[in-house]
Amino acid sequence: MYDEAKKWHCECAVVYFLASEQKKFAVVASKKIGKAVIRNRAKRLIKAAFLNIKNELKSGSFVIITKAGINEMKFGAIEKNLRWSFRKMDILK
């Protein structure tokens, strides 16, 4: 998927998108982010932001890889960064 997908970097994450029939979504947080509690919080923030935006997106597979420093960002900024990334990748309806 990583070779064929569209890719975009934003402040909080790297977003991959590959068009398909179904909407699939995965969040990845490496150990560079921090210990398990911090990685899980980062994934929860990304999931919540994605769920707020998902009805505006085209169908496809999404993989979002979190970046270090995401836990210092406010939720509104994370959602704004994801929406901006999706707009730049031309996957908003």
Side-chain angles (χ1 to χ4, degrees), residues 9 16 25 27 47 51 58 65 68 88 93:
H9 293 267
Y16 290 92
F25 172 67
V27 179
K47 285 177 189 175
L51 290 177
K58 295 178 182 176
I65 302 173
K88 287 292 186 177
K93 288 183 183 175

Side-chain angles (χ1 to χ4, degrees), residues 3-36:
D3 294 333
E4 301 166 4
K6 289 183 183 179
K7 175 178 156 181
W8 190 264
H9 293 267
C10 64
E11 281 183 50
C12 61
V14 179
V15 179
Y16 290 92
F17 172 74
L18 185 62
S20 66
E21 298 284 325
Q22 304 173 15
K23 275 191 187 171
K24 294 181 181 180
F25 172 67
V27 179
V28 178
S30 72
K31 288 189 177 184
K32 292 179 186 178
I33 303 296
K35 296 194 177 196

Side-chain angles (χ1 to χ4, degrees), residues 77-88:
I78 293 170
E79 186 174 353
K80 185 177 177 182
N81 274 302
L82 283 180
R83 189 179 300 272
W84 179 75
S85 297
F86 295 145
R87 188 175 301 122
K88 287 292 186 177

Side-chain angles (χ1 to χ4, degrees), residues 11-73:
E11 281 183 50
C12 61
V14 179
V15 179
Y16 290 92
F17 172 74
L18 185 62
S20 66
E21 298 284 325
Q22 304 173 15
K23 275 191 187 171
K24 294 181 181 180
F25 172 67
V27 179
V28 178
S30 72
K31 288 189 177 184
K32 292 179 186 178
I33 303 296
K35 296 194 177 196
V37 173
I38 296 170
R39 290 194 309 267
N40 288 337
R41 182 176 189 279
K43 290 193 279 188
R44 282 195 312 270
L45 287 170
I46 292 288
K47 285 177 189 175
F50 183 82
L51 290 177
N52 286 345
I53 303 170
K54 79 172 187 175
N55 293 330
E56 303 170 23
L57 300 173
K58 295 178 182 176
S59 294
S61 299
F62 296 86
V63 175
I64 300 176
I65 302 173
T66 59
K67 287 186 177 178
I70 188 171
N71 287 314
E72 286 81 35
M73 295 178 72

